[in-house]
């Protein structure tokens, strides 16, 4: 499903008419549970999904709603985005 979503998000900021909507709340709220339940999952092969997660997690309303857990999601997304395509790690660190 992440492969399909990655394709849908290619060249788009958000799911519906490139504007944040209830669709993004529904989809991204589930995606942002990945760092809580699967902290070692490597999502770097889905760059559009990772960027989408970052945009959603950066929203002040998300941070207010999820409080301290929002930092875990933001850290996870940042680490995934820092990975070099092909599975390599940036500078051997991330």
């Amino acid at each position: 499903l992440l492969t399909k979503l990655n394709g849908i998000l290619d060249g788009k900021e958000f799911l519906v008419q490139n504007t944040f909507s209830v669709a993004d709340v529904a989809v991204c709220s589930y995606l942002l549970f990945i760092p809580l339940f699967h902290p070692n999952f490597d999502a770097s092969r889905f760059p559009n999904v990772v960027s989408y997660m970052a945009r959603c997690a950066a929203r002040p309303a998300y941070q207010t709603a999820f409080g301290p857990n929002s930092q875990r999601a933001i850290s996870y997304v940042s680490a995934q985005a820092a990975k070099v395509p092909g599975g390599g790690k940036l500078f051997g660190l991330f």
Side-chain angles (χ1 to χ4, degrees), residues 12-74:
K12 294 172 77 173
E13 295 282 316
F14 298 105
L15 292 171
V16 179
Q17 298 178 346
N18 250 355
T19 303
F20 188 80
S21 71
V22 70
D24 300 298
V25 172
V27 171
C28 211
S29 63
Y30 283 106
L31 290 173
L32 290 167
F33 277 112
I34 291 172
L36 295 173
F37 297 110
H38 306 284
N40 296 320
F41 177 72
D42 183 3
S44 65
R45 61 191 171 164
F46 310 108
N48 299 326
V49 173
V50 170
S51 296
Y52 175 66
M53 290 169 69
R55 283 189 295 280
C56 292
R59 295 179 57 81
Y62 173 81
Q63 294 172 20
T64 299
F66 287 89
N69 286 330
S70 68
Q71 275 311 115
R72 183 181 296 169
I74 292 166

